[in-house]
Amino acid sequence: MTTVAEAATHRPAEAGPHTAFRIEREGDLAVIWFDLPGEKVNKFSSAVMTEFAGIVDQMERANDVKRIVLASGKPSIFIAGADVSEFSKATTPELAREYTRFGQQTFHRFSKLPQVKVAAINGACLGGGCEVAISCDWRVISDNPRAVIGLPETKLGIFPAWGGTTKLPRLIGLPAALDIILKGKSLDGRRAKKVGLVDEVVPGAILIDVAKQLTRRGKRHDSTRTKFYIEGNPLARSFIFSKARKAVMSETHGHYPAPLKAIEVMEAGMSSGVERGLEREVEEVAPLITGEVAQNLVRLFFLSEEAKKDRIAAQPREIASVGVLGAGVMGGGIAYIVADKTDAGLRMRDINWNALAGGLKAASKIWRKRVDRRRMTRGEMQRKLSRITTTTDWSGFQHADLVIEAVVENLDVKRKVLAEFESLAKEGAIFASNTSTLPITEIAANAKHPDRVVGMHFFNPVDRMPLVEVIRGAKTSDVSLVTVAAFARKLGKTVVICNDGPGFVVNRILGPYLNESGFLLEEGNSIESLDAAIVDFGMPMGPMALLDEVGIDVAAKVATILRERFGGRIQQSRVVEVLYADHRLGKKGGKGLYLYENGKRKTPDAAVYKLLGVATPHPVNANEAVDRMVLAMINEAALILDEKIVASAAEVDLAMIMGTGFPPFRGGLLRYADARGLPNVVARLDDLASRFGPRFTPTSPLRRLAERGGKFTQPA
Ligand code: NAD
């Protein structure tokens, strides 16, 4: 075995500084092993890139090396990409250009080496990892499910600029490259092979041997000539690009510049050649790196990483057996995700068999979608489904280490099921309530073991919403808290730890927002224009559609609980109450603010205006309406922070993005407040209060922070 330094010279290795790369020689073959010391994953920081450039220098001179295999020394990770923490260091476009150009030119030189090069991909191969892999002649990937290859850059507000945007279309054709780059996709081996991104998929055990074999195939010759012929036709090409542009605009409303820039760069690369494409990559990506959207998305990336760690010094308990109480909308979803993501024994209880059948049906529907998309086999689905055993009594619950309660939102019922469970629970068993609004301390008021009662608030639909709020009641122990948090993470969720209080973080902040949408509606603004204004702002759906999704009955309950707990602090709109009295349930009942057919939203229901005494609805003044709804949330969030319901503004931002889809490009609710300037936010609230009433009066923590020139958040 030899080190980098000796590769070209054949002198024995001398002990040198720690290096990320090591070269192993076998005759005319050099295996370049990437194994970044002291890190779990391989990534390209500037220092690593400099070292890699040194390897390329050596290979340029190494006349006796004819074949190269690039491999990873980490288990299940090939190369995770660029070191994202370096983004925030590129404070000017000039620095960003330098940083980008160096990486890109290093990979470009690597791609032009005379040797035959093969990437042996044993695990995640993302971003810069994918770009160095496509600089090889051939790629072989392990069939390990963690071995995926792709370009997620647009998810961070940039696009691949170490050659990926220019070169991928030439390797796999324009449509497939657009699909990967614009959506920030990664593919498993099977799908990657199908589009031509890898050449072989093999068991991990023979990966390196196959890679070595592949070097004997010789240099790659362009095999995509047919695709090129079609796409080489400027008319066809411009049609494909214009379609892609339209799709991006309808998806992002123009809020995300990176995919649009990626299209421009690809156009340049396809019509003016690789070198020109590479230049454009550097020119176009630099302002994105230093721009606000990428900075916000990178901050979000770090917030999510941070949320994976426990800051509480306690050891989570092992959860081998889980009970779910209630098989309704939420219970069914929770049983699904526990069966899908863990090996825990699983029992679901409801008071009637119909509900249990409904819960199982909901779970199997989600799996079936995956079977239809060939992401899962029918056998796997059956195995997972059969793990959810059901009961109408308490049998089996004596084994549960964790019970997740999702029965109706009623304090007495919740206390009753808690008491029943405690009477048969095993020592140490934890009771986690999925309540939306009820304080955990109140649920646990009569508990034998209030230290083992925790809030575990999922969002609907459970399989798709990434957030779980984990709530500490007055007597909840650290062990219970970290156990539930660790279990939620095992389910693939982002955890935000909260202190107790009605509505916790997300529902409490959404309360004033939905309430304000009600006032706007009562004033005669049309349902569809209200929703359109918020969708334009960047939310995934408007407040009217959201009320229907959540269910008018659920919203009515939430509103009542928040009203009872907060007294008359916030004047409430009548909308939810009036709709509920008219037996409107929202989407699940076929009518709410909109009318539904087979679960599909159709048109706003004109009868709603009549109920509210609105004679002729009119389009909304979008700017003012958005300010009323969004600033109402900022005002409440300032209080939540002041009450220490949550530890930091960053966590409010994370919770709102993951729990409501608050636009990620804006960096979260409080980041948005900071970007507008807190004195401006306060002045606007004062103005709204003078016109619409005291519910807009800036809360004192917000006013104080603005007066002392403070900000809620720090930059990434
Ligand atoms: P749901 O009405 O769909 O389901 C509740 C289920 O609990 C019903 O099937 C009912 O039969 C069952 N049940 C009632 N008493 C029971 C008992 N003693 N033992 C076992 N089962 C019992 O309600 P849901 O929407 O699934 O909400 C459940 C909980 O989750 C509530 O606390 C709610 O606030 C909360 N939640 C709901 C949402 C949402 O969007 N629906 C989101 C987050 C949290």
Side-chain angles (χ1 to χ4, degrees), residues 68-70 78 110 115-121 132-141 171 196-200 210-223:
I68 295 175
V69 167
L70 181 62
F78 178 65
F110 178 70
Q115 293 91 351
V116 182
K117 298 172 296 298
V118 176
I121 304 166
V132 75
I134 65 175
S135 306
C136 293
D137 296 282
W138 311 103
R139 285 150 293 283
V140 54
I141 194 167
L171 179 68
L197 182 48
V198 300
D199 303 289
E200 301 290 343
V210 174
K212 289 176 182 172
Q213 281 300 323
L214 274 179
T215 58
R216 302 209 178 272
R217 268 197 198 169
K219 299 292 276 182
R220 183 188 198 92
H221 296 290
D222 213 337
S223 59

Side-chain angles (χ1 to χ4, degrees), residues 682-709:
V682 167
R684 181 69 161 146
L685 281 167
D686 278 329
D687 158 55
L688 292 172
S690 71
R691 290 157 54 213
F692 299 102
R695 64 180 185 277
F696 284 107
T697 306
T699 53
S700 34
L702 175 60
R703 206 186 277 284
R704 280 199 308 269
L705 190 60
E707 276 168 4
R708 60 162 213 268

Side-chain angles (χ1 to χ4, degrees), residues 324-332 334 349-352 354-356 391-392 394 405-410 413-414 416-417 420 433-438 456-462 507 549-551 553-554 557-558 561 588:
V324 175
L325 293 174
V329 178
M330 297 304 288
I334 293 166
R349 170 179 193 265
D350 203 298
I351 42 179
N352 70 67
N354 276 347
L356 286 166
T391 173
T392 54
W394 286 96
E405 170 277 305
V407 304
V408 285
E409 186 77 341
N410 176 307
V413 179
K414 294 203 189 277
K416 189 170 151 258
V417 294
E420 285 174 15
S433 173
N434 178 48
T435 174
S436 311
T437 39
L438 294 165
M456 188 182 194
H457 183 215
F458 290 86
F459 290 77
N460 184 16
V462 176
N507 281 341
E549 285 292 321
V550 167
D553 52 338
V554 176
K557 240 177 221 168
V558 171
I561 292 171
K588 63 187 166 202

